[in-house]
């Protein structure tokens, strides 16, 4: 049984089928050639290599997979899938795991990365587009890391790479509806 | 007689609309010079970027699909940002394959879904023209040397050529940057990092992971003896500029910028001013500007 504090996830089988349903990928066809790990540029920063996440799923260690840093470090670049002999869509598996982890309030392996994604989505909900300067500032406040990258920020401002004002969608209600329909 | 421009809907996406305006402007100018008018998609919204599909697939599909429903029926929709086009294509594919989803979105946007909408990457236009012939036929006097004769470049695709398995059959025009620029006289330098992912959003949240990767790429770029890196991805361009900490990096140019230079487009000053690694001295030395 997967446990998270007092909360117990329905059943192990359920997690496996959720991953398969959401990602549309049958992870059982992976035979651990490790080509994915060989090609992934970020494998060193992960606690489990990409194929090891699949192994955890195959063996039923769902909690380990859901709590891993790997699912957050993965940027979905598809480098691994393009060399996978079984055409496993790793990026889709990682998307599924991340979202299952969030829905079940599992402890997030890389809170700062989640923080970044959340600020991006907030910006899109507010303006319909991303406002990079605001995302960066809110992200810095959120992670209480106010001073790193200060010189970079200034450089980007002087090169006009960060606009002061957001660019907005006119029909912002349509954007709100998209976010709302997700909650239904 | 001047031929009429072919109209194409254009989805700039957030990067090209803001941090990579130089990419946006040079792309529009270049397309115009080869006979295409890019008409910005009215009231477009963010494709959802990596963040939406990372933590909220439903919203990601909703955001991308609004753009598909906004696109006029009578012309293709073009995007140049590799990650935007992937999101748009994948969403179109999913809606085409799922009637319930199609009904849901048709209701939400009060419009019919255009199953036949052609979503094209900028590469697709380039793949179908012969640029040197084109330059000649436009009455540019046939020079003895081709416009990019003097320049040695490294093609850098990042992860843009990699596709999820369900989209493997959609062409990705591998090798197109090399083919086009060498046809204009430039010399391709081969290297092993041309398809290395730049780290995308990790450059904000985990710069200490991205910097060594970018430095690795740049060190090999410098050692190769090339004059510059040419990339077709605005995100790659940004990361090469902001996360490189080695001294004396070579400049990274947007593909659209170097194409525009080759076409003799002159208002490049505003583009190159926006680069953090200034390409102007190199371009001057090569006689390109
Ligand atoms: S490349 Fe594919 S088959 Fe090989 S280990 Fe990775 S996911 Fe499994
Ligand atoms: S999709 Fe994820 S796991 Fe695969 S190579 Fe890219 S970062 Fe690594």
């Amino acid at each position: 049984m997967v446990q998270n504090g007092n909360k117990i996830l329905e059943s192990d089988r359920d997690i496996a089928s959720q991953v398969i349903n959401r990602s549309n990928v049958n992870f059982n066809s992976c035979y651990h050639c490790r080509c994915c790990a060989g090609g992934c540029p970020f494998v060193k920063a992960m606690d489990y290599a990409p194929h090891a996440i699949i192994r955890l799923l195959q063996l039923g260690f769902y909690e380990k997979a859901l709590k891993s840093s790997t699912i957050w470090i993965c940027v979905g670049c598809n480098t691994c899938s393009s060399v996978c002999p079984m055409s496993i869509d790793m990026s889709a598996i990682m998307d599924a795991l991340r979202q299952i982890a969030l829905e079940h309030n599992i402890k997030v392996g890389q809170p700062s990365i989640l923080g970044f994604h959340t600020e991006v989505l907030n910006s899109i909900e507010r303006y319909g587009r991303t406002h990079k300067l605001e995302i960066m500032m809110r992200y810095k406040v959120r992670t209480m890391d106010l001073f790193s990258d200060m010189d970079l920020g200034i450089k980007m401002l002087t090169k006009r790479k960060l606009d002061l004002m957001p660019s907005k969608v006119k029909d912002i209600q349509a954007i709100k509806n998209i976010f709302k329909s997700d909650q239904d | 007689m001047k031929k009429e421009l072919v109209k194409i809907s254009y989805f700039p996406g957030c990067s090209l609309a803001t941090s990579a305006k130089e990419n946006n402007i040079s792309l529009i100018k270049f397309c115009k010079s080869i006979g295409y008018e890019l008409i910005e998609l009215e009231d477009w919204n963010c494709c959802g970027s990596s963040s939406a599909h990372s933590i909220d697939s439903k919203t990601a599909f909703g955001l991308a699909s609004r753009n598909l429903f906004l696109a006029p029926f009578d012309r293709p929709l073009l995007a140049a940002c590799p990650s935007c086009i992937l999101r748009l294509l994948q969403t179109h594919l999913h809606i085409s394959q799922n009637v319930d989803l199609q009904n849901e979105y048709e209701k939400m946007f009060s419009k019919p879904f255009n199953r036949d909408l052609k979503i094209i990457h900028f590469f697709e236009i380039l793949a179908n023209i012969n640029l040197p012939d084109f330059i000649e036929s436009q009455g540019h006097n046939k020079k003895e040397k081709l416009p990019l004769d003097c320049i040695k470049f490294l093609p850098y695709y990042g992860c843009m050529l990699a596709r999820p398995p369900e989209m493997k059959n959609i062409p990705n025009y591998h090798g197109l940057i090399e083919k086009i620029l060498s046809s204009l006289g430039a010399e391709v330098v081969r290297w092993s990092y041309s398809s290395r992912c730049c780290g995308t959003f990790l450059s904000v949240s985990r710069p200490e992971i991205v910097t060594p990767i970018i430095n690795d790429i740049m060190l090999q770029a410098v050692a190769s003896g090339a004059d510059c890196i040419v990339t077709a991805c605005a995100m790659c361009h940004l990361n090469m500029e902001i996360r490189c900490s080695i001294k004396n990096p070579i400049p990274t140019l947007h593909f659209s910028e170097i194409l525009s230079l080759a076409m003799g487009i002159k208002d490049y000053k505003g583009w190159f001013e926006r680069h953090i690694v200034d390409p102007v001295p190199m371009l001057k030395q090569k006689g390109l500007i």
Side-chain angles (χ1 to χ4, degrees):
Chain A
M1 262 276 162
V2 179
Q3 274 194 290
N4 175 48
N6 301 326
K7 206 174 160 144
I8 297 172
L9 302 181
E10 295 89 287
S11 82
D12 295 358
R13 265 188 93 78
D14 189 55
I15 299 282
S17 56
Q18 275 188 50
V19 174
I20 293 173
N21 285 343
R22 284 173 194 240
S23 64
N24 226 344
V25 182
N26 180 4
F27 54 74
N28 288 314
S29 65
C30 163
Y31 58 73
H32 300 281
C33 66
R34 304 185 188 196
C35 287
C36 49
C40 176
F42 313 105
V43 69
K44 277 197 211 136
M46 296 169 167
D47 48 5
Y48 293 97
H51 71 92
I53 291 290
I54 294 196
R55 196 72 187 131
L56 290 174
L57 296 176
Q58 289 171 339
L59 295 175
F61 294 113
Y62 304 110
E63 191 178 3
K64 281 200 164 67
L66 292 169
K67 281 186 173 167
S68 70
S69 71
T70 304
I71 60 174
W72 295 98
I73 303 271
C74 169
V75 299
C77 67
N78 296 312
T79 308
C80 52
S81 321
S82 27
V83 294
C84 172
M86 300 308 288
S87 287
I88 290 200
D89 190 341
M90 188 70 79
S91 165
I93 293 182
M94 300 290 185
D95 284 353
L97 287 170
R98 235 179 270 120
Q99 294 176 30
I100 294 170
L102 288 176
E103 283 161 27
H104 288 89
N105 292 315
I106 302 264
K107 189 164 177 287
V108 172
Q110 289 279 306
S112 67
I113 297 178
L114 171 62
F116 170 75
H117 291 320
T118 309
E119 289 307 343
V120 172
L121 276 173
N122 288 345
S123 183
I124 301 175
E125 190 169 7
R126 227 174 281 131
Y127 307 118
R129 297 179 187 164
T130 56
H131 182 216
K132 292 201 169 103
L133 179 62
E134 191 177 308
I135 293 171
M136 304 283 281
M137 311 247 287
R138 284 179 186 266
Y139 171 74
K140 295 262 153 215
V141 172
R142 175 188 276 271
T143 52
M144 288 307 286
D145 170 26
L146 297 176
F147 300 109
S148 73
D149 276 342
M150 192 75 122
D151 47 339
L152 176 66
I154 292 170
K155 214 187 274 172
M156 289 181 72
L157 276 172
T158 49
K159 290 284 174 186
R160 291 177 292 142
K161 290 202 172 284
L162 293 172
D163 290 346
L164 293 175
M165 299 308 287
S167 151
K168 285 186 210 163
V169 163
K170 282 183 231 131
D171 184 5
I172 199 70
Q173 192 52 47
I175 304 296
K176 297 226 167 353
N177 292 344
I178 293 171
F179 277 84
K180 222 173 45 221
S181 82
D182 181 38
Q183 259 114 65
D184 294 346
Chain B
M1 199 185 72
K2 250 195 130 172
K3 255 183 52 192
E4 250 198 69
L5 296 175
V6 178
K7 290 185 167 55
I8 299 188
S9 301
Y10 171 48
F11 180 83
C14 299
S15 283
L16 272 77
T18 60
S19 50
K21 273 192 198 115
E22 68 281 9
N23 189 181
N24 197 14
I25 301 166
S26 53
L27 178 81
I28 294 171
K29 296 253 155 142
F30 171 75
C31 285
K32 193 165 173 208
S33 77
I34 58 166
Y36 294 93
E37 185 184 358
L38 301 188
I39 302 172
E40 189 169 315
L41 189 64
E42 176 71 24
D43 210 34
W44 61 271
N45 60 264
C46 172
C47 72
S49 85
S50 310
S51 294
H53 86 88
S54 285
I55 61 172
D56 187 347
S57 297
K58 183 96 201 295
T59 299
F61 279 122
L63 287 167
S65 63
R66 176 169 178 269
N67 295 305
L68 301 179
F69 278 88
L70 286 176
F73 267 69
D74 58 344
R75 48 180 97 126
L77 174 64
L78 179 138
C81 169
S83 99
C84 296
I85 187 122
L86 198 61
R87 300 270 85 83
L88 296 174
L89 280 170
Q90 201 168 22
T91 303
H92 192 270
L93 185 73
H94 278 221
I95 303 178
S96 306
Q97 289 170 346
N98 183 333
V99 189
D100 294 339
L101 205 59
Q102 182 178 330
N103 291 338
E104 183 187 335
Y105 286 137
E106 286 186 333
K107 216 172 111 208
M108 172 155 19
F109 300 116
S110 318
K111 267 190 213 145
F113 174 64
N114 182 1
R115 181 178 289 273
D116 300 321
L117 178 67
K118 267 194 79 179
I119 303 168
I120 57 175
H121 186 259
F122 165 54
F123 277 16
E124 213 164 317
I125 294 187
L126 279 174
N128 295 317
I129 55 168
N130 182 326
L131 220 42
D133 280 3
F134 185 85
I135 293 179
E136 221 184 296
S137 74
Q138 289 302 86
H140 290 261
N141 55 349
K142 194 176 174 187
K143 289 188 202 144
E144 292 194 337
K145 65 183 194 87
L146 287 157
L148 302 177
D149 241 355
C150 41
I151 201 152
K152 284 206 273 185
F153 75 98
L154 294 156
Y156 181 48
Y157 294 93
C159 65
M160 73 175 283
L161 301 175
R163 292 278 166 77
E166 65 174 353
M167 295 169 70
K168 257 194 182 139
N169 296 332
I170 301 175
N172 64 3
Y173 302 101
H174 185 102
L176 186 96
I177 301 182
E178 294 91 310
K179 185 172 148 237
I180 299 280
L181 295 186
S182 58
S183 79
L184 296 171
E187 184 187 328
V188 188
V189 183
R190 305 273 168 198
W191 63 331
S192 52
Y193 283 90
S194 75
S195 296
R196 194 80 172 160
C197 170
C198 73
T200 79
F201 61 80
L202 288 180
S203 105
V204 180
S205 45
R206 295 292 305 274
E208 76 288 1
I209 298 177
V210 174
T211 298
I213 290 175
I214 295 291
N215 283 349
D216 254 10
I217 299 174
M218 189 53 88
L219 280 171
Q220 210 196 50
V222 173
S224 76
D227 303 308
C228 62
I229 297 171
V230 175
T231 178
C233 173
M235 186 76 228
C236 288
H237 186 268
L238 187 67
N239 278 351
M240 286 309 291
E241 293 223 302
I242 66 172
R243 288 303 171 205
C244 174
S245 62
I246 65 163
K247 283 213 179 77
N248 303 320
I250 58 171
T252 305
L253 294 175
H254 295 286
F255 190 29
S256 56
E257 288 177 327
I258 192 164
L259 285 170
S260 295
L261 288 182
M263 295 301 288
I265 295 167
K266 292 273 178 264
D267 54 353
Y268 44 75
K269 198 169 162 280
W271 318 337
F272 298 139
E273 272 172 359
R274 301 174 49 93
H275 287 231
I276 292 177
V277 181
D278 186 7
V280 169
M282 181 276 294
L283 293 169
K284 275 207 173 124
Q285 194 213 339
K286 297 285 162 187
L288 270 170
I289 56 174

